[in-house]
mmCIF file of all heavy atoms in Angstrom:
data_model
loop_
_atom_site.group_PDB
_atom_site.id
_atom_site.type_symbol
_atom_site.label_atom_id
_atom_site.label_comp_id
_atom_site.label_asym_id
_atom_site.label_seq_id
_atom_site.Cartn_x
_atom_site.Cartn_y
_atom_site.Cartn_z
ATOM 1 N N LEU A 124 6.078 28.927 -21.597
ATOM 2 C CA LEU A 124 5.183 29.991 -22.059
ATOM 3 C C LEU A 124 5.781 31.356 -21.746
ATOM 4 O O LEU A 124 5.814 32.249 -22.612
ATOM 5 C CB LEU A 124 3.811 29.843 -21.400
ATOM 6 C CG LEU A 124 2.787 30.947 -21.718
ATOM 7 C CD1 LEU A 124 2.421 30.915 -23.200
ATOM 8 C CD2 LEU A 124 1.556 30.796 -20.843
ATOM 9 N N LEU A 125 6.277 31.535 -20.516
ATOM 10 C CA LEU A 125 6.878 32.825 -20.134
ATOM 11 C C LEU A 125 8.133 33.116 -20.956
ATOM 12 O O LEU A 125 8.366 34.254 -21.357
ATOM 13 C CB LEU A 125 7.203 32.835 -18.640
ATOM 14 C CG LEU A 125 5.997 32.869 -17.705
ATOM 15 C CD1 LEU A 125 6.455 32.693 -16.254
ATOM 16 C CD2 LEU A 125 5.224 34.156 -17.876
ATOM 17 N N LYS A 126 8.913 32.068 -21.225
ATOM 18 C CA LYS A 126 10.124 32.228 -22.036
ATOM 19 C C LYS A 126 9.751 32.676 -23.453
ATOM 20 O O LYS A 126 10.379 33.574 -24.026
ATOM 21 C CB LYS A 126 10.887 30.907 -22.060
ATOM 22 C CG LYS A 126 12.268 30.989 -22.620
ATOM 23 C CD LYS A 126 12.967 29.638 -22.469
ATOM 24 C CE LYS A 126 14.329 29.643 -23.116
ATOM 25 N NZ LYS A 126 14.997 28.352 -23.019
ATOM 26 N N SER A 127 8.707 32.091 -23.997
ATOM 27 C CA SER A 127 8.229 32.464 -25.328
ATOM 28 C C SER A 127 7.711 33.898 -25.335
ATOM 29 O O SER A 127 7.995 34.672 -26.264
ATOM 30 C CB SER A 127 7.132 31.498 -25.762
ATOM 31 O OG SER A 127 6.544 31.919 -26.967
ATOM 32 N N GLN A 128 6.952 34.266 -24.304
ATOM 33 C CA GLN A 128 6.455 35.641 -24.204
ATOM 34 C C GLN A 128 7.606 36.627 -24.077
ATOM 35 O O GLN A 128 7.561 37.715 -24.658
ATOM 36 C CB GLN A 128 5.513 35.774 -23.003
ATOM 37 C CG GLN A 128 4.170 35.117 -23.198
ATOM 38 C CD GLN A 128 3.301 35.182 -21.950
ATOM 39 O OE1 GLN A 128 3.787 35.485 -20.852
ATOM 40 N NE2 GLN A 128 2.018 34.894 -22.110
ATOM 41 N N LEU A 129 8.645 36.257 -23.343
ATOM 42 C CA LEU A 129 9.809 37.129 -23.188
ATOM 43 C C LEU A 129 10.491 37.367 -24.534
ATOM 44 O O LEU A 129 10.843 38.502 -24.868
ATOM 45 C CB LEU A 129 10.796 36.515 -22.183
ATOM 46 C CG LEU A 129 12.059 37.313 -21.913
ATOM 47 C CD1 LEU A 129 11.713 38.655 -21.278
ATOM 48 C CD2 LEU A 129 13.007 36.530 -21.025
ATOM 49 N N ARG A 130 10.642 36.289 -25.334
ATOM 50 C CA ARG A 130 11.246 36.455 -26.667
ATOM 51 C C ARG A 130 10.377 37.354 -27.546
ATOM 52 O O ARG A 130 10.878 38.214 -28.268
ATOM 53 C CB ARG A 130 11.433 35.093 -27.331
ATOM 54 C CG ARG A 130 12.666 34.355 -26.861
ATOM 55 C CD ARG A 130 12.986 33.180 -27.793
ATOM 56 N NE ARG A 130 11.885 32.235 -27.883
ATOM 57 C CZ ARG A 130 11.819 31.068 -27.242
ATOM 58 N NH1 ARG A 130 12.805 30.707 -26.459
ATOM 59 N NH2 ARG A 130 10.778 30.273 -27.384
ATOM 60 N N SER A 131 9.072 37.170 -27.471
ATOM 61 C CA SER A 131 8.158 38.004 -28.263
ATOM 62 C C SER A 131 8.259 39.467 -27.836
ATOM 63 O O SER A 131 8.301 40.370 -28.678
ATOM 64 C CB SER A 131 6.717 37.534 -28.088
ATOM 65 O OG SER A 131 6.543 36.260 -28.616
ATOM 66 N N GLN A 132 8.302 39.702 -26.540
ATOM 67 C CA GLN A 132 8.392 41.073 -26.044
ATOM 68 C C GLN A 132 9.729 41.714 -26.413
ATOM 69 O O GLN A 132 9.785 42.900 -26.735
ATOM 70 C CB GLN A 132 8.162 41.107 -24.536
ATOM 71 C CG GLN A 132 6.707 40.831 -24.178
ATOM 72 C CD GLN A 132 6.485 40.708 -22.681
ATOM 73 O OE1 GLN A 132 7.417 40.636 -21.901
ATOM 74 N NE2 GLN A 132 5.207 40.671 -22.294
ATOM 75 N N LYS A 133 10.808 40.922 -26.409
ATOM 76 C CA LYS A 133 12.109 41.451 -26.845
ATOM 77 C C LYS A 133 12.053 41.858 -28.316
ATOM 78 O O LYS A 133 12.571 42.902 -28.703
ATOM 79 C CB LYS A 133 13.215 40.422 -26.623
ATOM 80 C CG LYS A 133 13.692 40.323 -25.204
ATOM 81 C CD LYS A 133 14.842 39.321 -25.097
ATOM 82 C CE LYS A 133 15.322 39.201 -23.667
ATOM 83 N NZ LYS A 133 16.416 38.215 -23.540
ATOM 84 N N ALA A 134 11.397 41.026 -29.134
ATOM 85 C CA ALA A 134 11.268 41.349 -30.560
ATOM 86 C C ALA A 134 10.425 42.613 -30.747
ATOM 87 O O ALA A 134 10.751 43.471 -31.583
ATOM 88 C CB ALA A 134 10.641 40.175 -31.306
ATOM 89 N N ILE A 135 9.365 42.738 -29.962
ATOM 90 C CA ILE A 135 8.521 43.943 -30.042
ATOM 91 C C ILE A 135 9.328 45.172 -29.633
ATOM 92 O O ILE A 135 9.264 46.218 -30.295
ATOM 93 C CB ILE A 135 7.267 43.780 -29.155
ATOM 94 C CG1 ILE A 135 6.320 42.758 -29.773
ATOM 95 C CG2 ILE A 135 6.560 45.120 -28.963
ATOM 96 C CD1 ILE A 135 5.163 42.359 -28.874
ATOM 97 N N ILE A 136 10.123 45.058 -28.571
ATOM 98 C CA ILE A 136 10.949 46.182 -28.111
ATOM 99 C C ILE A 136 11.962 46.576 -29.176
ATOM 100 O O ILE A 136 12.164 47.761 -29.444
ATOM 101 C CB ILE A 136 11.634 45.835 -26.773
ATOM 102 C CG1 ILE A 136 10.590 45.797 -25.654
ATOM 103 C CG2 ILE A 136 12.739 46.831 -26.443
ATOM 104 C CD1 ILE A 136 11.105 45.261 -24.327
ATOM 105 N N GLU A 137 12.584 45.582 -29.809
ATOM 106 C CA GLU A 137 13.541 45.892 -30.885
ATOM 107 C C GLU A 137 12.845 46.616 -32.035
ATOM 108 O O GLU A 137 13.378 47.576 -32.592
ATOM 109 C CB GLU A 137 14.210 44.610 -31.385
ATOM 110 C CG GLU A 137 15.225 44.044 -30.426
ATOM 111 C CD GLU A 137 15.823 42.730 -30.916
ATOM 112 O OE1 GLU A 137 15.616 42.370 -32.103
ATOM 113 O OE2 GLU A 137 16.494 42.071 -30.106
ATOM 114 N N GLY A 138 11.637 46.156 -32.381
ATOM 115 C CA GLY A 138 10.876 46.825 -33.440
ATOM 116 C C GLY A 138 10.518 48.250 -33.063
ATOM 117 O O GLY A 138 10.622 49.178 -33.873
ATOM 118 N N LEU A 139 10.111 48.443 -31.806
ATOM 119 C CA LEU A 139 9.772 49.796 -31.347
ATOM 120 C C LEU A 139 11.004 50.692 -31.302
ATOM 121 O O LEU A 139 10.922 51.881 -31.643
ATOM 122 C CB LEU A 139 9.103 49.733 -29.966
ATOM 123 C CG LEU A 139 7.699 49.127 -29.940
ATOM 124 C CD1 LEU A 139 7.229 48.955 -28.496
ATOM 125 C CD2 LEU A 139 6.726 49.973 -30.728
ATOM 126 N N ASN A 140 12.143 50.147 -30.908
ATOM 127 C CA ASN A 140 13.384 50.938 -30.907
ATOM 128 C C ASN A 140 13.755 51.346 -32.324
ATOM 129 O O ASN A 140 14.204 52.480 -32.559
ATOM 130 C CB ASN A 140 14.521 50.154 -30.259
ATOM 131 C CG ASN A 140 14.415 50.128 -28.755
ATOM 132 O OD1 ASN A 140 13.806 51.006 -28.144
ATOM 133 N ND2 ASN A 140 15.003 49.115 -28.129
ATOM 134 N N TYR A 141 13.559 50.435 -33.286
ATOM 135 C CA TYR A 141 13.826 50.766 -34.683
ATOM 136 C C TYR A 141 12.881 51.882 -35.149
ATOM 137 O O TYR A 141 13.314 52.851 -35.791
ATOM 138 C CB TYR A 141 13.659 49.528 -35.559
ATOM 139 C CG TYR A 141 13.826 49.809 -37.027
ATOM 140 C CD1 TYR A 141 15.089 49.971 -37.588
ATOM 141 C CD2 TYR A 141 12.718 49.939 -37.858
ATOM 142 C CE1 TYR A 141 15.247 50.247 -38.926
ATOM 143 C CE2 TYR A 141 12.859 50.210 -39.202
ATOM 144 C CZ TYR A 141 14.118 50.365 -39.736
ATOM 145 O OH TYR A 141 14.267 50.636 -41.067
ATOM 146 N N ASP A 142 11.590 51.729 -34.825
ATOM 147 C CA ASP A 142 10.613 52.770 -35.184
ATOM 148 C C ASP A 142 10.969 54.098 -34.546
ATOM 149 O O ASP A 142 10.832 55.159 -35.176
ATOM 150 C CB ASP A 142 9.203 52.356 -34.759
ATOM 151 C CG ASP A 142 8.622 51.241 -35.613
ATOM 152 O OD1 ASP A 142 9.184 50.968 -36.696
ATOM 153 O OD2 ASP A 142 7.611 50.645 -35.191
ATOM 154 N N LEU A 143 11.423 54.073 -33.305
ATOM 155 C CA LEU A 143 11.825 55.296 -32.602
ATOM 156 C C LEU A 143 13.000 55.957 -33.314
ATOM 157 O O LEU A 143 12.996 57.176 -33.533
ATOM 158 C CB LEU A 143 12.181 54.981 -31.147
ATOM 159 C CG LEU A 143 12.675 56.144 -30.300
ATOM 160 C CD1 LEU A 143 11.579 57.199 -30.149
ATOM 161 C CD2 LEU A 143 13.127 55.659 -28.932
#
Side-chain angles (χ1 to χ4, degrees):
L124 176 65
L125 290 173
K126 191 175 176 182
S127 173
Q128 287 176 346
L129 180 63
R130 279 194 302 259
S131 294
Q132 289 174 350
K133 281 183 181 179
I135 289 171
I136 289 171
E137 287 177 12
L139 290 173
N140 284 336
Y141 176 78
D142 288 346
L143 178 64

